[in-house]
Amino acid sequence: MTVVDVDTHWEISRFAPGQHPLEPWLDSAGRDRVEQLAHGIAGDLLDALPPRRRPSGRTLMPGLVEFAERRGGPVVLHPEHDSTAGERVAWMDRVGIDHCLVNPGGYAQTLQFLGPDRAAGAARCNDFLAEQLADHADRLHGVALLDLSDPRAAVKELERARNRGHRAFHLYTVNGRPPAPTPPGHPEWDDLWTAATRLGMLAFIHVGNTAADFGGWADIGWDKPGGAGVTALTRLANTQRVHVAQNLLVSLLYGGVFHRHPDLTVCLEEMKVAWIPSFIEMCTRQSLPSPGLGDWPFPTSGGDMLRHNVRFTPLPGFGDSEALDIVSRYPELGMFSSDYPHMEGNADPVNVYGPRLDGIDADVRRRFLGGNAREAFARTGDPL
């Protein structure tokens, strides 16, 4: 059985001078490390607060600051880690993983501040990750970054990234809105979806790329008398990720992308999984003709298209306690991941499921651990 991990990360704790892939922009767009971490956790909410009411990074994350001061290290969310191809493959061999999809790490966060230079920055990040993975490119497969403000123009970078070994790419939102003038379900995006399937690449909706629109909702008076304090603000900032993911999915579904591109696969990563059954059921019901909604415009129901084109990967360390129940209920949808080396991931990701994984149907287990991922690539004509 081939085991495929669809969500790992490539972290570098420190770069030598001049070696950062976004080096040309660090002076102008780079932020203090703590402020950048705060923006990664709650940037969409902070952007919606009046400037004078935005807490500093150290104020927003008192627990992480206290922990860093106790151990005498930097303020970080995830343990510091220096990824190398040799280290990664040795870990894979220890825990029984054959292939890893590798997301760019924290070094790429500056990309969102580059404005019109995002395309150039994304290309540099893609080159950097390709070079890092090159020694074991037969098992380590990069996830590309794009500038989706112009989806048609992004096709060229997608092709270049595939030539460098990447097998997936990230979708993203800009404070809850599409990065382009039209949403991803619009036919203007079709060149991108055609290229993705032609090139054998999957599209990822990752939690870190689902910025929401907190306009009108961010100011809960966290710093006012009677307010709930900064820790309530941080929690508020992490309530809308699933809603953003749903917006992306229904745009693709009702815009007809899954109908026009049946070989496209979109994978949800670190987006929780408990909501997925009810979401599929809702889209199935909405496919029925009715006087209010009219006729369904496609030959396949919404629920069936989701089950064909969408995949999810649960993460027990992120609260997905019901993961295997949903994997068993939708055996064609689940994909295995570790999130290694991040905090909410696990360095022994197969065994973290314990005896329950051995207890599910053998074919469901095979599909979950690697079969579904391999099928998603194979149906594009470019197997993993």
Side-chain angles (χ1 to χ4, degrees), residues 286-301:
Q286 289 191 349
S287 305
L288 299 174
S290 71
L293 296 178
D295 292 333
W296 178 243
F298 309 112
T300 305
S301 77

Side-chain angles (χ1 to χ4, degrees), residues 15-91:
F15 287 91
Q19 297 302 304
H20 195 291
L22 297 178
E23 188 75 26
W25 300 278
L26 291 184
D27 288 341
S28 58
R31 297 189 175 194
D32 170 86
R33 187 170 182 173
V34 176
E35 296 304 319
Q36 183 161 304
L37 177 59
H39 195 277
I41 293 173
D44 46 5
L45 183 143
L46 296 176
D47 288 345
L49 282 171
R52 288 183 293 180
R53 302 278 308 292
R54 294 173 190 164
S56 68
R58 299 182 72 85
T59 301
L60 185 73
M61 306 177 295
L64 294 179
V65 171
E66 180 183 356
F67 181 72
E69 290 174 346
R70 280 204 314 268
R71 67 184 179 88
V75 178
V76 294
L77 179 62
H78 306 294
E80 288 192 290
H81 186 92
D82 284 308
S83 301
T84 68
E87 168 268 331
R88 185 59 52 91
V89 167
W91 167 75

Side-chain angles (χ1 to χ4, degrees), residues 84-338:
T84 68
E87 168 268 331
R88 185 59 52 91
V89 167
W91 167 75
M92 292 164 63
D93 289 341
R94 287 196 304 273
V95 301
I97 294 173
D98 298 287
H99 294 272
C100 276
L101 277 293
V102 184
N103 293 300
Y107 61 83
Q109 285 185 332
T110 301
L111 197 65
Q112 61 192 305
F113 307 119
L114 298 192
D117 287 339
R118 180 184 172 104
R124 288 177 63 98
C125 286
N126 294 337
D127 286 343
F128 171 77
L129 186 57
E131 291 160 5
Q132 292 281 297
L133 305 182
D135 288 346
H136 292 281
D138 58 329
R139 298 179 65 187
L140 302 175
H141 315 284
V143 181
L145 300 170
L146 299 174
D147 174 16
L148 294 175
S149 62
D150 183 344
R152 288 172 175 163
V155 170
K156 183 176 180 180
E157 178 58 24
L158 194 68
E159 293 172 335
R160 202 184 67 85
R162 180 65 188 93
N163 287 335
R164 300 221 57 180
H166 292 52
R167 295 305 308 264
F169 62 99
H170 283 297
L171 303 180
Y172 64 94
T173 55
V174 179
N175 286 351
R177 298 184 61 83
T182 57
H186 195 283
E188 288 180 357
W189 287 63
D190 274 2
D191 287 353
L192 180 70
W193 310 128
T194 298
T197 54
R198 171 173 55 83
L199 297 167
M201 301 180 76
L202 310 189
F204 286 170
I205 300 175
H206 191 281
V207 67
N209 297 313
T210 52
D213 180 2
F214 280 95
W217 298 102
D219 189 358
I220 56 172
W222 69 274
D223 56 343
K224 299 295 184 180
V230 74
T231 57
L233 197 66
T234 310
R235 285 169 169 80
L236 175 62
N238 286 275
T239 58
Q240 301 301 303
R241 305 293 186 177
V242 168
H243 179 64
V244 173
Q246 291 175 345
N247 281 345
L248 289 167
L249 290 179
V250 294
S251 180
L252 295 169
L253 175 62
Y254 297 133
V257 170
F258 295 149
H259 169 68
R260 297 190 297 274
H261 305 275
D263 293 329
L264 177 68
T265 297
V266 177
C267 183
L268 300 158
E269 297 189 328
E270 298 184 51
M271 297 304 309
K272 304 295 182 67
V273 298
W275 60 274
I276 291 174
S278 61
F279 182 75
I280 292 175
E281 291 168 7
M282 177 195 73
C283 293
T284 301
R285 289 194 304 272
Q286 289 191 349
S287 305
L288 299 174
S290 71
L293 296 178
D295 292 333
W296 178 243
F298 309 112
T300 305
S301 77
D304 284 347
M305 281 195 279
L306 291 176
R307 293 178 72 146
H308 182 75
N309 290 90
V310 178
R311 299 293 179 262
F312 67 81
T313 179
L315 194 58
F318 213 41
D320 284 331
S321 58
E322 61 281 277
L324 293 183
D325 294 333
I326 298 176
V327 166
S328 296
R329 182 174 175 181
Y330 296 100
E332 71 276 38
L333 266 64
M335 291 183 178
F336 168 76
S337 68
S338 68

Side-chain angles (χ1 to χ4, degrees), residues 162 167 374 377-378 380-384:
R162 180 65 188 93
R167 295 305 308 264
R374 295 182 71 194
F377 286 107
T380 69
D382 191 357
L384 194 62

